């Protein structure tokens, strides 16, 4: 049973929202509400016009922090489930409205860039600013956010912070958690919290991390301050190498990173995955991609280390131009998403991903274990047309593995998620946890990985569930996200009194 079921009718919820925000800020169009009940941009049922889940009562568009506070306070008092939304590019079910008559609170009209501060290297913007717009604005100052997820043209600051997103240049610039200086968020009782912008502090735990990654399950993010970096693409050097073994590629990345170098891009693709990106030159091999970036001297030093790294390793070289061209077409706008949906509909097939992370010493074992288990156990293996992985974000202690899988769909659309995505996703998640890694590297837990939240955190789940209890005691924030429904709010059976 969903945790927060309001005694109010849809009509009273809509009437209350109209009174609070005005008619133009409340959307009740049937088709828009149906679409707002799902996120998975690859949701096979939605592409077929099937929307089986609970449909929200309304989408509301706050125009300021006070609006958000008024909506959240009202929702908490009336036990109405709230699903925060900004760019709508979530992939793990975070936007799915699993409770009847939810309110989708869409921050995309709060889209002002408030301050660009080139002296203190910060940009302050509201939650509904698209990352691409912020990036274009700061570039005019010769600066960059350094954040470049493939969803950059569509994703907005609220969602990017709420999911702990990571960009393609993360090895140099960090994930969003390294970029957020301060922020403003509204909690379900209407409290507006501002975490101030300071370079660092030792004034207790880092409370930014209560909000970063909270996936709309604790609060609504209204404003974000990001740090900025100099933009100097003229110094970029692009590298591509073909290697025989995936493990060799991973070992090369490890050597470079643990030696202290920070190429902005640091990737290795298995041959199956490489084929979909580099068909014209991968020659059936693993592809290592590296980019040296930064000041002229820093980029040159990183480039020199990369050359040295491959001097005595068996490899074939790929031209820099090919790697650079590939990068320039990597991001996803609405056009690519629409084309993929059309392809799904026409050809009954789907490509999906599950990203995890693990220590350096266990990367190859995890890769092999996933490949072997899927091949041996997945009952529809004959429908899987591609199964591969890449490592695309590396750290001093380990890296991520981004598993990719394409399958032909030989079942009715309604069953696709149960027959294909869930079992494939489950094998990858289970293996990542078995090898001591994390079940999710950057897409967030959403609703699809909640069965493993407790296992992911172990004894630290106490901290996580206490946050939910403290900040969302009525369980109205994005029910079913991060926290499995039976563990939402006060319903965690294992929590101490
Ligand atoms: C084609 C494609 C490529 C992608 N590439 C990447 C990538 O390279 N790296 C990466 O990390 N991710 C990637 N993603 C996943 C997704 O884009 C990111 O997770 C992104 O951060 C979501 O931002 P959004 O504004 O679209 O958020 P939404 O989809 O609107 O929401 C995402 C989650 O955040 C919550 N949320 C949204 N706004 C707020 C708010 N204001 N306050 C509190 N909670 C909120 C929602 O409830 C939901 O749980 C990709 C997705 C797609 C479709």
């Amino acid at each position: 049973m969903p945790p927060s079921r309001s005694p109010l009718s849809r009509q009273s919820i809509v009437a209350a929202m109209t009174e609070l925000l005005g008619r133009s800020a409340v959307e009740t169009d049937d088709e828009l509400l149906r679409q707002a009940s799902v996120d998975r941009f690859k949701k096979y049922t939605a592409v077929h016009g099937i929307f089986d889940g609970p449909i929200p009562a309304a989408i509301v568009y706050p125009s300021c922090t006070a609006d958000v506070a008024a909506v959240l306070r009202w929702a908490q008092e009336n036990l109405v489930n709230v699903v925060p939304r900004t760019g709508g590019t979530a992939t793990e079910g975070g936007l799915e409205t699993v409770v009847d008559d939810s309110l989708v609170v869409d921050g995309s009209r709060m889209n002002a860039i408030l301050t660009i501060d080139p002296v203190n290297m910060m940009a302050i913007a509201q939650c509904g600013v698209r990352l691409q717009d912020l990036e274009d604005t700061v570039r005019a100052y010769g600066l960059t956010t350094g954040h470049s997820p493939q969803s950059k043209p569509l994703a907005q600051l609220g969602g990017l912070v709420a999911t702990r997103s990571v960009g393609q240049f993360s090895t140099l610039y960090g994930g969003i958690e390294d970029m957020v200086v301060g922020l403003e968020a509204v909690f379900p009782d209407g409290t507006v919290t501002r975490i101030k912008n300071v370079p660092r502090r030792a004034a207790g735990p880092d409370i930014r991390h209560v909000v970063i990654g909270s996936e709309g399950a604790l609060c609504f993010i209204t404003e974000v301050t990001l740090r900025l970096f100099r933009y100097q693409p003229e110094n970029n050097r692009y590298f591509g190498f073909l290697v025989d073994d995936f493990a060799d590629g991973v070992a090369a990345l490890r050597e470079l990173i643990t030696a202290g170098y920070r190429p902005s891009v640091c990737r290795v693709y298995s041959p199956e995955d490489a084929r979909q990106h580099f068909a014209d030159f991968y020659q059936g091999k693993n592809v290592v991609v590296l980019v040296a970036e930064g000041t002229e001297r820093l980029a040159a030093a990183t480039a020199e280390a990369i050359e040295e790294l491959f001097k005595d390793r068996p490899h074939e070289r790929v031209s820099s131009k090919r790697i650079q061209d590939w990068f320039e077409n990597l991001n996803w706008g609405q056009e690519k998403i629409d084309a993929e949906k059309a392809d799904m509909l026409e050809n009954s097939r789907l490509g999906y991903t599950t990203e995890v992370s693990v220590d350096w010493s266990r990367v190859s074992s995890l890769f092999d274990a996933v490949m072997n288990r899927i091949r041996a156990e997945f009952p529809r293996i004959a429908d899987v047309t591609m199964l591969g992985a890449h490592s695309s974000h590396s750290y001093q202690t380990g890296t991520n593995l981004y598993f990719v899988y394409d399958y032909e769909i030989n079942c009715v659309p309604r069953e696709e998620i149960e027959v294909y995505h869930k079992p494939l996703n489950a094998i990858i998640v289970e293996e990542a946890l078995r090898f001591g890694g994390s079940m999710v590297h950057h897409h967030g837990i959403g609703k699809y990985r909640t069965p493993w939240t407790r296992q992911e955190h172990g004894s630290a789940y106490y901290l996580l569930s206490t946050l939910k209890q403290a900040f969302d005691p009525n369980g109205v924030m994005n029910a079913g996200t991060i926290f499995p429904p039976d563990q939402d709010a006060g319903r965690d059976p294992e929590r101490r009194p």
Side-chain angles (χ1 to χ4, degrees), residues 41 84 86-90 94-95 149-151 155-156 159-160 162-163 165-166 215-216 219-221 332 442 478:
F41 89 97
T86 48
T89 64
L95 295 179
Q150 272 182 276
S151 53
Q156 301 173 6
L160 288 160
T163 54
S165 60
V166 82
E215 296 187 49
C219 61
F220 192 103
I221 300 158
W332 279 66
H442 62 268
N478 210 350

PDB file of all heavy atoms in Angstrom, residues 41 84 86-90 94-95 149-151 155-156 159-160 162-163 165-166 215-216 219-221 332 442 478, ligand 1:
ATOM      1  N   PHE A  41      12.791   7.506 -20.002  1.00  0.00           N
ATOM      2  CA  PHE A  41      12.542   8.029 -21.343  1.00  0.00           C
ATOM      3  C   PHE A  41      12.461   6.882 -22.332  1.00  0.00           C
ATOM      4  O   PHE A  41      11.958   7.002 -23.418  1.00  0.00           O
ATOM      5  CB  PHE A  41      13.578   9.089 -21.721  1.00  0.00           C
ATOM      6  CG  PHE A  41      14.817   8.576 -22.384  1.00  0.00           C
ATOM      7  CD1 PHE A  41      14.945   8.589 -23.760  1.00  0.00           C
ATOM      8  CD2 PHE A  41      15.873   8.097 -21.631  1.00  0.00           C
ATOM      9  CE1 PHE A  41      16.100   8.125 -24.369  1.00  0.00           C
ATOM     10  CE2 PHE A  41      17.023   7.630 -22.231  1.00  0.00           C
ATOM     11  CZ  PHE A  41      17.135   7.640 -23.607  1.00  0.00           C
ATOM     12  N   PRO A  84       9.074  15.979  -7.050  1.00  0.00           N
ATOM     13  CA  PRO A  84       9.789  17.108  -7.644  1.00  0.00           C
ATOM     14  C   PRO A  84      10.268  16.750  -9.051  1.00  0.00           C
ATOM     15  O   PRO A  84      10.615  15.597  -9.319  1.00  0.00           O
ATOM     16  CB  PRO A  84      10.982  17.311  -6.710  1.00  0.00           C
ATOM     17  CG  PRO A  84      10.594  16.675  -5.419  1.00  0.00           C
ATOM     18  CD  PRO A  84       9.728  15.514  -5.815  1.00  0.00           C
ATOM     19  N   THR A  86      12.462  18.546 -12.672  1.00  0.00           N
ATOM     20  CA  THR A  86      12.990  19.714 -13.417  1.00  0.00           C
ATOM     21  C   THR A  86      13.108  19.325 -14.888  1.00  0.00           C
ATOM     22  O   THR A  86      12.151  19.440 -15.632  1.00  0.00           O
ATOM     23  CB  THR A  86      14.318  20.252 -12.819  1.00  0.00           C
ATOM     24  OG1 THR A  86      15.228  19.173 -12.594  1.00  0.00           O
ATOM     25  CG2 THR A  86      14.084  21.005 -11.525  1.00  0.00           C
ATOM     26  N   GLY A  87      14.263  18.781 -15.308  1.00  0.00           N
ATOM     27  CA  GLY A  87      14.457  18.513 -16.742  1.00  0.00           C
ATOM     28  C   GLY A  87      13.748  17.274 -17.270  1.00  0.00           C
ATOM     29  O   GLY A  87      13.599  17.093 -18.483  1.00  0.00           O
ATOM     30  N   GLY A  88      13.329  16.374 -16.392  1.00  0.00           N
ATOM     31  CA  GLY A  88      12.597  15.171 -16.810  1.00  0.00           C
ATOM     32  C   GLY A  88      13.444  14.126 -17.516  1.00  0.00           C
ATOM     33  O   GLY A  88      12.920  13.297 -18.245  1.00  0.00           O
ATOM     34  N   THR A  89      14.776  14.113 -17.287  1.00  0.00           N
ATOM     35  CA  THR A  89      15.621  13.114 -17.961  1.00  0.00           C
ATOM     36  C   THR A  89      15.972  11.922 -17.057  1.00  0.00           C
ATOM     37  O   THR A  89      16.826  11.105 -17.412  1.00  0.00           O
ATOM     38  CB  THR A  89      16.942  13.730 -18.472  1.00  0.00           C
ATOM     39  OG1 THR A  89      17.700  14.174 -17.344  1.00  0.00           O
ATOM     40  CG2 THR A  89      16.690  14.874 -19.428  1.00  0.00           C
ATOM     41  N   ALA A  90      15.337  11.825 -15.907  1.00  0.00           N
ATOM     42  CA  ALA A  90      15.636  10.724 -14.978  1.00  0.00           C
ATOM     43  C   ALA A  90      15.457   9.384 -15.678  1.00  0.00           C
ATOM     44  O   ALA A  90      14.597   9.250 -16.554  1.00  0.00           O
ATOM     45  CB  ALA A  90      14.712  10.804 -13.774  1.00  0.00           C
ATOM     46  N   GLY A  94      12.688   7.720 -10.861  1.00  0.00           N
ATOM     47  CA  GLY A  94      12.572   8.778  -9.844  1.00  0.00           C
ATOM     48  C   GLY A  94      11.358   9.670 -10.050  1.00  0.00           C
ATOM     49  O   GLY A  94      10.846  10.263  -9.099  1.00  0.00           O
ATOM     50  N   LEU A  95      10.883   9.793 -11.288  1.00  0.00           N
ATOM     51  CA  LEU A  95       9.735  10.672 -11.547  1.00  0.00           C
ATOM     52  C   LEU A  95       8.413   9.918 -11.560  1.00  0.00           C
ATOM     53  O   LEU A  95       7.365  10.515 -11.770  1.00  0.00           O
ATOM     54  CB  LEU A  95       9.911  11.391 -12.894  1.00  0.00           C
ATOM     55  CG  LEU A  95      11.080  12.377 -12.984  1.00  0.00           C
ATOM     56  CD1 LEU A  95      11.146  12.984 -14.373  1.00  0.00           C
ATOM     57  CD2 LEU A  95      10.943  13.485 -11.952  1.00  0.00           C
ATOM     58  N   PRO A 149      27.281  16.074 -18.250  1.00  0.00           N
ATOM     59  CA  PRO A 149      26.583  14.805 -18.477  1.00  0.00           C
ATOM     60  C   PRO A 149      26.034  14.804 -19.899  1.00  0.00           C
ATOM     61  O   PRO A 149      25.810  15.875 -20.484  1.00  0.00           O
ATOM     62  CB  PRO A 149      25.443  14.835 -17.443  1.00  0.00           C
ATOM     63  CG  PRO A 149      25.255  16.273 -17.109  1.00  0.00           C
ATOM     64  CD  PRO A 149      26.574  16.946 -17.302  1.00  0.00           C
ATOM     65  N   GLN A 150      25.796  13.613 -20.433  1.00  0.00           N
ATOM     66  CA  GLN A 150      25.282  13.550 -21.810  1.00  0.00           C
ATOM     67  C   GLN A 150      23.908  14.202 -21.936  1.00  0.00           C
ATOM     68  O   GLN A 150      23.488  14.557 -23.025  1.00  0.00           O
ATOM     69  CB  GLN A 150      25.193  12.096 -22.259  1.00  0.00           C
ATOM     70  CG  GLN A 150      26.489  11.606 -22.873  1.00  0.00           C
ATOM     71  CD  GLN A 150      26.344  10.173 -23.343  1.00  0.00           C
ATOM     72  OE1 GLN A 150      26.500   9.243 -22.560  1.00  0.00           O
ATOM     73  NE2 GLN A 150      26.022   9.997 -24.593  1.00  0.00           N
ATOM     74  N   SER A 151      23.210  14.351 -20.828  1.00  0.00           N
ATOM     75  CA  SER A 151      21.891  14.989 -20.839  1.00  0.00           C
ATOM     76  C   SER A 151      21.989  16.503 -20.695  1.00  0.00           C
ATOM     77  O   SER A 151      20.971  17.166 -20.466  1.00  0.00           O
ATOM     78  CB  SER A 151      21.060  14.416 -19.691  1.00  0.00           C
ATOM     79  OG  SER A 151      21.777  14.529 -18.474  1.00  0.00           O
ATOM     80  N   ALA A 155      18.878  18.440 -19.038  1.00  0.00           N
ATOM     81  CA  ALA A 155      18.830  18.354 -17.573  1.00  0.00           C
ATOM     82  C   ALA A 155      18.987  19.748 -16.951  1.00  0.00           C
ATOM     83  O   ALA A 155      19.661  20.619 -17.499  1.00  0.00           O
ATOM     84  CB  ALA A 155      19.925  17.423 -17.075  1.00  0.00           C
ATOM     85  N   GLN A 156      18.322  19.932 -15.808  1.00  0.00           N
ATOM     86  CA  GLN A 156      18.355  21.231 -15.124  1.00  0.00           C
ATOM     87  C   GLN A 156      19.020  21.084 -13.746  1.00  0.00           C
ATOM     88  O   GLN A 156      19.138  19.969 -13.229  1.00  0.00           O
ATOM     89  CB  GLN A 156      16.924  21.762 -14.981  1.00  0.00           C
ATOM     90  CG  GLN A 156      16.244  21.916 -16.348  1.00  0.00           C
ATOM     91  CD  GLN A 156      14.771  22.280 -16.258  1.00  0.00           C
ATOM     92  OE1 GLN A 156      14.235  22.539 -15.177  1.00  0.00           O
ATOM     93  NE2 GLN A 156      14.101  22.295 -17.394  1.00  0.00           N
ATOM     94  N   GLY A 159      17.538  18.765 -10.735  1.00  0.00           N
ATOM     95  CA  GLY A 159      17.665  17.316 -10.945  1.00  0.00           C
ATOM     96  C   GLY A 159      19.112  16.873 -10.953  1.00  0.00           C
ATOM     97  O   GLY A 159      19.441  15.791 -10.446  1.00  0.00           O
ATOM     98  N   LEU A 160      19.987  17.693 -11.497  1.00  0.00           N
ATOM     99  CA  LEU A 160      21.409  17.316 -11.560  1.00  0.00           C
ATOM    100  C   LEU A 160      21.994  17.178 -10.165  1.00  0.00           C
ATOM    101  O   LEU A 160      22.797  16.275  -9.899  1.00  0.00           O
ATOM    102  CB  LEU A 160      22.191  18.369 -12.362  1.00  0.00           C
ATOM    103  CG  LEU A 160      21.907  18.340 -13.875  1.00  0.00           C
ATOM    104  CD1 LEU A 160      22.289  19.665 -14.521  1.00  0.00           C
ATOM    105  CD2 LEU A 160      22.664  17.189 -14.543  1.00  0.00           C
ATOM    106  N   ALA A 162      20.033  16.725  -7.391  1.00  0.00           N
ATOM    107  CA  ALA A 162      19.237  15.718  -6.668  1.00  0.00           C
ATOM    108  C   ALA A 162      19.660  14.290  -7.001  1.00  0.00           C
ATOM    109  O   ALA A 162      19.437  13.386  -6.204  1.00  0.00           O
ATOM    110  CB  ALA A 162      17.755  15.909  -6.971  1.00  0.00           C
ATOM    111  N   THR A 163      20.247  14.069  -8.181  1.00  0.00           N
ATOM    112  CA  THR A 163      20.638  12.699  -8.556  1.00  0.00           C
ATOM    113  C   THR A 163      22.132  12.424  -8.361  1.00  0.00           C
ATOM    114  O   THR A 163      22.598  11.344  -8.716  1.00  0.00           O
ATOM    115  CB  THR A 163      20.303  12.430 -10.045  1.00  0.00           C
ATOM    116  OG1 THR A 163      20.912  13.447 -10.829  1.00  0.00           O
ATOM    117  CG2 THR A 163      18.808  12.412 -10.286  1.00  0.00           C
ATOM    118  N   SER A 165      24.618  13.717 -10.095  1.00  0.00           N
ATOM    119  CA  SER A 165      25.023  13.442 -11.474  1.00  0.00           C
ATOM    120  C   SER A 165      26.531  13.584 -11.650  1.00  0.00           C
ATOM    121  O   SER A 165      27.222  14.222 -10.855  1.00  0.00           O
ATOM    122  CB  SER A 165      24.306  14.403 -12.415  1.00  0.00           C
ATOM    123  OG  SER A 165      24.636  15.736 -12.085  1.00  0.00           O
ATOM    124  N   VAL A 166      27.001  12.993 -12.723  1.00  0.00           N
ATOM    125  CA  VAL A 166      28.421  13.078 -13.026  1.00  0.00           C
ATOM    126  C   VAL A 166      28.566  13.341 -14.528  1.00  0.00           C
ATOM    127  O   VAL A 166      27.756  12.889 -15.332  1.00  0.00           O
ATOM    128  CB  VAL A 166      29.125  11.774 -12.564  1.00  0.00           C
ATOM    129  CG1 VAL A 166      28.994  10.659 -13.550  1.00  0.00           C
ATOM    130  CG2 VAL A 166      30.574  11.993 -12.226  1.00  0.00           C
ATOM    131  N   GLU A 215      17.262  13.017  -4.354  1.00  0.00           N
ATOM    132  CA  GLU A 215      16.295  12.533  -5.370  1.00  0.00           C
ATOM    133  C   GLU A 215      14.844  12.921  -5.093  1.00  0.00           C
ATOM    134  O   GLU A 215      13.925  12.159  -5.375  1.00  0.00           O
ATOM    135  CB  GLU A 215      16.415  11.003  -5.528  1.00  0.00           C
ATOM    136  CG  GLU A 215      17.762  10.564  -6.053  1.00  0.00           C
ATOM    137  CD  GLU A 215      17.805   9.071  -6.356  1.00  0.00           C
ATOM    138  OE1 GLU A 215      16.893   8.570  -7.032  1.00  0.00           O
ATOM    139  OE2 GLU A 215      18.756   8.404  -5.909  1.00  0.00           O
ATOM    140  N   GLY A 216      14.659  14.083  -4.518  1.00  0.00           N
ATOM    141  CA  GLY A 216      13.293  14.548  -4.263  1.00  0.00           C
ATOM    142  C   GLY A 216      12.606  13.815  -3.131  1.00  0.00           C
ATOM    143  O   GLY A 216      11.413  14.005  -2.912  1.00  0.00           O
ATOM    144  N   CYS A 219      13.499  16.786   0.163  1.00  0.00           N
ATOM    145  CA  CYS A 219      13.304  18.226   0.050  1.00  0.00           C
ATOM    146  C   CYS A 219      13.226  18.631  -1.426  1.00  0.00           C
ATOM    147  O   CYS A 219      13.436  17.787  -2.305  1.00  0.00           O
ATOM    148  CB  CYS A 219      14.469  18.964   0.713  1.00  0.00           C
ATOM    149  SG  CYS A 219      16.060  18.579  -0.063  1.00  0.00           S
ATOM    150  N   PHE A 220      12.948  19.907  -1.665  1.00  0.00           N
ATOM    151  CA  PHE A 220      12.914  20.447  -3.031  1.00  0.00           C
ATOM    152  C   PHE A 220      14.043  21.478  -3.141  1.00  0.00           C
ATOM    153  O   PHE A 220      14.084  22.452  -2.384  1.00  0.00           O
ATOM    154  CB  PHE A 220      11.552  21.104  -3.300  1.00  0.00           C
ATOM    155  CG  PHE A 220      11.333  21.434  -4.746  1.00  0.00           C
ATOM    156  CD1 PHE A 220      10.519  20.631  -5.539  1.00  0.00           C
ATOM    157  CD2 PHE A 220      11.945  22.543  -5.331  1.00  0.00           C
ATOM    158  CE1 PHE A 220      10.314  20.920  -6.892  1.00  0.00           C
ATOM    159  CE2 PHE A 220      11.752  22.835  -6.675  1.00  0.00           C
ATOM    160  CZ  PHE A 220      10.937  22.031  -7.459  1.00  0.00           C
ATOM    161  N   ILE A 221      14.942  21.257  -4.088  1.00  0.00           N
ATOM    162  CA  ILE A 221      16.083  22.175  -4.271  1.00  0.00           C
ATOM    163  C   ILE A 221      15.614  23.362  -5.121  1.00  0.00           C
ATOM    164  O   ILE A 221      15.057  23.157  -6.210  1.00  0.00           O
ATOM    165  CB  ILE A 221      17.247  21.444  -4.976  1.00  0.00           C
ATOM    166  CG1 ILE A 221      17.699  20.241  -4.140  1.00  0.00           C
ATOM    167  CG2 ILE A 221      18.399  22.403  -5.266  1.00  0.00           C
ATOM    168  CD1 ILE A 221      18.443  19.179  -4.944  1.00  0.00           C
ATOM    169  N   TRP A 332      22.996  14.255 -25.723  1.00  0.00           N
ATOM    170  CA  TRP A 332      21.628  13.894 -26.121  1.00  0.00           C
ATOM    171  C   TRP A 332      20.697  15.070 -25.946  1.00  0.00           C
ATOM    172  O   TRP A 332      20.437  15.500 -24.832  1.00  0.00           O
ATOM    173  CB  TRP A 332      21.122  12.748 -25.250  1.00  0.00           C
ATOM    174  CG  TRP A 332      21.601  11.413 -25.674  1.00  0.00           C
ATOM    175  CD1 TRP A 332      22.895  10.968 -25.641  1.00  0.00           C
ATOM    176  CD2 TRP A 332      20.815  10.346 -26.200  1.00  0.00           C
ATOM    177  NE1 TRP A 332      22.946   9.684 -26.118  1.00  0.00           N
ATOM    178  CE2 TRP A 332      21.680   9.272 -26.460  1.00  0.00           C
ATOM    179  CE3 TRP A 332      19.454  10.190 -26.466  1.00  0.00           C
ATOM    180  CZ2 TRP A 332      21.241   8.066 -26.978  1.00  0.00           C
ATOM    181  CZ3 TRP A 332      19.023   8.986 -26.974  1.00  0.00           C
ATOM    182  CH2 TRP A 332      19.909   7.938 -27.233  1.00  0.00           C
ATOM    183  N   HIS A 442      25.886   6.769 -10.798  1.00  0.00           N
ATOM    184  CA  HIS A 442      25.453   8.154 -10.985  1.00  0.00           C
ATOM    185  C   HIS A 442      24.009   8.391 -11.405  1.00  0.00           C
ATOM    186  O   HIS A 442      23.586   9.542 -11.459  1.00  0.00           O
ATOM    187  CB  HIS A 442      26.396   8.888 -11.945  1.00  0.00           C
ATOM    188  CG  HIS A 442      26.459   8.340 -13.332  1.00  0.00           C
ATOM    189  ND1 HIS A 442      27.388   7.405 -13.699  1.00  0.00           N
ATOM    190  CD2 HIS A 442      25.734   8.589 -14.438  1.00  0.00           C
ATOM    191  CE1 HIS A 442      27.225   7.112 -14.978  1.00  0.00           C
ATOM    192  NE2 HIS A 442      26.215   7.804 -15.458  1.00  0.00           N
ATOM    193  N   ASN A 478       8.190  12.118  -2.712  1.00  0.00           N
ATOM    194  CA  ASN A 478       8.570  11.155  -3.742  1.00  0.00           C
ATOM    195  C   ASN A 478       8.571   9.710  -3.226  1.00  0.00           C
ATOM    196  O   ASN A 478       9.594   9.013  -3.260  1.00  0.00           O
ATOM    197  CB  ASN A 478       9.954  11.515  -4.320  1.00  0.00           C
ATOM    198  CG  ASN A 478      10.075  11.076  -5.768  1.00  0.00           C
ATOM    199  OD1 ASN A 478       9.209  10.354  -6.280  1.00  0.00           O
ATOM    200  ND2 ASN A 478      11.134  11.485  -6.424  1.00  0.00           N
TER     201      ASN A 478
HETATM  202  C1  LIG B   1      20.085  10.726 -22.712  1.00  0.00           C
HETATM  203  C2  LIG B   1      20.448  10.803 -21.259  1.00  0.00           C
HETATM  204  C3  LIG B   1      21.770  10.944 -20.895  1.00  0.00           C
HETATM  205  C4  LIG B   1      22.136  10.996 -19.553  1.00  0.00           C
HETATM  206  N1  LIG B   1      23.452  11.174 -19.222  1.00  0.00           N
HETATM  207  C5  LIG B   1      23.805  11.274 -17.925  1.00  0.00           C
HETATM  208  C6  LIG B   1      25.161  11.488 -17.561  1.00  0.00           C
HETATM  209  O1  LIG B   1      26.061  11.580 -18.408  1.00  0.00           O
HETATM  210  N2  LIG B   1      25.456  11.604 -16.241  1.00  0.00           N
HETATM  211  C7  LIG B   1      24.483  11.535 -15.284  1.00  0.00           C
HETATM  212  O2  LIG B   1      24.809  11.654 -14.106  1.00  0.00           O
HETATM  213  N3  LIG B   1      23.207  11.306 -15.597  1.00  0.00           N
HETATM  214  C8  LIG B   1      22.831  11.190 -16.887  1.00  0.00           C
HETATM  215  N4  LIG B   1      21.523  10.985 -17.220  1.00  0.00           N
HETATM  216  C9  LIG B   1      20.508  10.882 -16.171  1.00  0.00           C
HETATM  217  C10 LIG B   1      19.837  12.276 -15.885  1.00  0.00           C
HETATM  218  O3  LIG B   1      19.954  13.129 -16.896  1.00  0.00           O
HETATM  219  C11 LIG B   1      20.500  12.935 -14.775  1.00  0.00           C
HETATM  220  O4  LIG B   1      20.258  12.142 -13.663  1.00  0.00           O
HETATM  221  C12 LIG B   1      20.026  14.371 -14.473  1.00  0.00           C
HETATM  222  O5  LIG B   1      20.766  14.751 -13.386  1.00  0.00           O
HETATM  223  C13 LIG B   1      18.559  14.559 -14.203  1.00  0.00           C
HETATM  224  O6  LIG B   1      18.272  15.956 -14.244  1.00  0.00           O
HETATM  225  P1  LIG B   1      16.803  16.472 -14.594  1.00  0.00           P
HETATM  226  O7  LIG B   1      16.772  17.954 -14.430  1.00  0.00           O
HETATM  227  O8  LIG B   1      16.372  15.953 -15.888  1.00  0.00           O
HETATM  228  O9  LIG B   1      15.982  15.818 -13.404  1.00  0.00           O
HETATM  229  P2  LIG B   1      14.578  15.087 -13.408  1.00  0.00           P
HETATM  230  O10 LIG B   1      14.576  13.987 -14.384  1.00  0.00           O
HETATM  231  O11 LIG B   1      13.489  16.098 -13.511  1.00  0.00           O
HETATM  232  O12 LIG B   1      14.569  14.480 -11.921  1.00  0.00           O
HETATM  233  C14 LIG B   1      15.521  13.540 -11.512  1.00  0.00           C
HETATM  234  C15 LIG B   1      15.328  13.188 -10.045  1.00  0.00           C
HETATM  235  O13 LIG B   1      15.608  14.332  -9.249  1.00  0.00           O
HETATM  236  C16 LIG B   1      14.456  14.767  -8.524  1.00  0.00           C
HETATM  237  N5  LIG B   1      14.388  16.227  -8.661  1.00  0.00           N
HETATM  238  C17 LIG B   1      14.266  16.931  -9.819  1.00  0.00           C
HETATM  239  N6  LIG B   1      14.267  18.243  -9.547  1.00  0.00           N
HETATM  240  C18 LIG B   1      14.373  18.372  -8.199  1.00  0.00           C
HETATM  241  C19 LIG B   1      14.421  19.485  -7.322  1.00  0.00           C
HETATM  242  N7  LIG B   1      14.347  20.748  -7.764  1.00  0.00           N
HETATM  243  N8  LIG B   1      14.546  19.237  -5.988  1.00  0.00           N
HETATM  244  C20 LIG B   1      14.613  17.969  -5.506  1.00  0.00           C
HETATM  245  N9  LIG B   1      14.562  16.880  -6.305  1.00  0.00           N
HETATM  246  C21 LIG B   1      14.456  17.086  -7.631  1.00  0.00           C
HETATM  247  C22 LIG B   1      13.273  14.063  -9.170  1.00  0.00           C
HETATM  248  O14 LIG B   1      12.224  13.826  -8.248  1.00  0.00           O
HETATM  249  C23 LIG B   1      13.908  12.771  -9.678  1.00  0.00           C
HETATM  250  O15 LIG B   1      13.971  11.835  -8.636  1.00  0.00           O
HETATM  251  C24 LIG B   1      21.129  10.906 -18.558  1.00  0.00           C
HETATM  252  C25 LIG B   1      19.794  10.772 -18.934  1.00  0.00           C
HETATM  253  C26 LIG B   1      19.441  10.728 -20.260  1.00  0.00           C
HETATM  254  C27 LIG B   1      17.992  10.588 -20.626  1.00  0.00           C
END
